[in-house]
């Protein structure tokens, strides 16, 4: 376990850390995972929350990018309020539901999101987070030792993310065009799609992206989006 902690603490780039977390989850038999990076004291499904996910269908991810759809998801907030690991099924009945909540749960069932569970992640200065984990079968069938490892490492990874984001007090200056490219990147659009929207060539969009990465001191789009949202440079 200590070796895993050392690996986590060795990362100096948020994007690389999240990619490592994804690979670790897949190697442990997890078929779906999500991580909500929430601004300090904000709601875990707010428009400024960054959601890093793997294993979900493209259809589901496209839906979750829509503000109204994501806002109807009460599970992350309920898990954080509960303060401990909680199955999605238990979270669904943990409080009275609105019609929007019920519609969201029905969409989950249609997508086959049935057996997962949520882990509350606590960080310094109110920078909390949420991890959604799904092995594809009931949590009662997961080995307790593996479950404990997943929970422990998820918390360690979140704390490292908090450490990496902490120095980001002053946001770099971005041009209007860079902000446009970054905003569409944060909304999950591909280079080709952004090029079409902004009436630019794909190569030009790539050039803007490289400039953005350099200004934000990151190496990829995931790290750029996380930092940009935390700094308030863009709104999804």
């Amino acid at each position: 376990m200590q070796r895993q902690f050392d690996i986590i603490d060795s990362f100096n780039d948020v994007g690389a850390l999240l990619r490592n977390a994804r690979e670790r989850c897949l190697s442990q038999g997890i078929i779906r995972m999500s991580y909500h990076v929430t601004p300090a004291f904000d709601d875990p499904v707010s428009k400024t929350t960054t959601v890093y996910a793997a294993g979900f269908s493209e259809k589901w991810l496209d839906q979750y990018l829509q503000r109204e759809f994501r806002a109807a998801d009460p599970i992350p907030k309920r898990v954080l309020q509960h303060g401990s690991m909680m199955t999605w099924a238990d979270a669904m009945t943990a409080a009275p539901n609105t019609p929007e909540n019920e519609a969201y749960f029905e969409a989950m069932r249609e997508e086959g999101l049935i057996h997962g569970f949520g882990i509350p992640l606590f960080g310094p200065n109110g920078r909390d987070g949420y991890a959604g984990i799904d092995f594809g079968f009931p949590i009662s069938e997961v080995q307790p030792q593996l479950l404990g490892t997943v929970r422990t490492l998820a918390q360690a990874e979140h704390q490292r993310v908090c450490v990496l984001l902490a120095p980001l007090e002053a946001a770099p200056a971005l041009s209007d065009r860079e902000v446009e490219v970054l905003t569409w990147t944060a909304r999950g659009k591909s280079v080709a799609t952004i090029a079409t929207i902004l009436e630019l060539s794909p190569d030009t969009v790539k050039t803007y992206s490289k400039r953005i990465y350099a200004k934000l001191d990151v190496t990829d789009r995931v790290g750029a989006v996380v930092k940009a949202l935390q700094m308030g440079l863009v709104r999804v």
Side-chain angles (χ1 to χ4, degrees):
M1 182 68 75
Q2 184 57 47
R3 181 173 178 276
Q4 292 293 329
F5 290 152
D6 291 341
I7 292 174
I8 291 169
D9 289 340
S10 71
F11 283 98
N12 293 310
D13 180 88
V14 174
L17 173 60
L18 294 180
R19 289 195 301 275
N20 180 75
R22 174 184 178 276
E23 294 305 314
R24 176 184 60 76
C25 286
L26 294 177
S27 70
Q28 293 171 327
I30 293 168
I31 64 171
R32 301 183 187 92
M33 57 81 66
S34 67
Y35 172 47
H36 293 225
V37 188
T38 306
F41 304 107
D42 204 350
D43 191 287
V45 293
S46 74
K47 64 181 181 181
T48 56
T49 292
T50 304
V51 181
Y52 179 71
F56 294 86
S57 70
E58 184 174 345
K59 173 187 173 184
W60 180 263
L61 293 178
D62 285 344
Q63 282 183 296
Y64 210 78
L65 281 174
Q66 300 172 19
R67 291 184 189 176
E68 295 79 8
F69 186 78
R70 180 162 61 179
D73 176 12
I75 293 178
K77 187 173 184 178
R78 290 178 183 180
V79 170
L80 278 164
Q81 290 174 337
H82 182 63
S84 185
M85 185 180 70
M86 192 180 202
T87 66
W88 292 342
D90 286 342
M92 289 178 181
T93 59
N97 295 315
T98 65
E100 291 77 13
N101 295 153
E102 294 293 353
Y104 178 82
F105 297 151
E106 181 59 30
M108 285 184 65
R109 287 187 283 268
E110 292 176 357
E111 187 68 15
L113 306 179
I114 301 171
H115 299 300
F117 57 94
I119 303 172
L121 305 172
F122 303 104
N125 302 316
R127 194 186 294 278
D128 297 334
Y130 164 84
I133 303 293
D134 188 1
F135 282 92
F137 47 80
I139 193 174
S140 59
E141 298 178 17
V142 181
Q143 295 181 356
Q145 182 176 357
L146 174 57
L147 198 57
T149 298
V150 169
R151 296 176 66 180
T152 300
L153 293 181
Q155 179 62 54
E157 287 157 348
H158 175 64
Q159 289 176 339
R160 185 58 182 168
V161 168
C162 292
V163 169
L164 295 176
L165 293 176
L168 306 178
E169 298 296 336
L174 300 181
S175 69
D176 291 344
R177 184 63 86 182
E178 287 169 344
V179 171
E180 288 179 323
V181 170
L182 187 54
T183 297
W184 287 112
T185 300
R187 292 175 181 173
K189 302 302 181 182
S190 67
V191 168
T193 301
I194 295 172
T196 299
I197 293 171
L198 299 181
E199 299 182 344
L200 300 171
S201 72
D203 286 341
T204 299
V205 172
K206 291 178 182 178
T207 298
Y208 278 118
S209 296
K210 289 178 181 178
R211 291 177 186 171
I212 292 166
Y213 298 166
K215 288 184 177 181
L216 295 179
D217 192 24
V218 298
T219 59
D220 61 15
R221 61 189 291 143
V222 174
V225 170
V226 170
K227 282 194 174 182
L229 286 170
Q230 293 293 340
M231 290 177 171
L233 291 172
V234 297
R235 293 288 184 270
V236 178

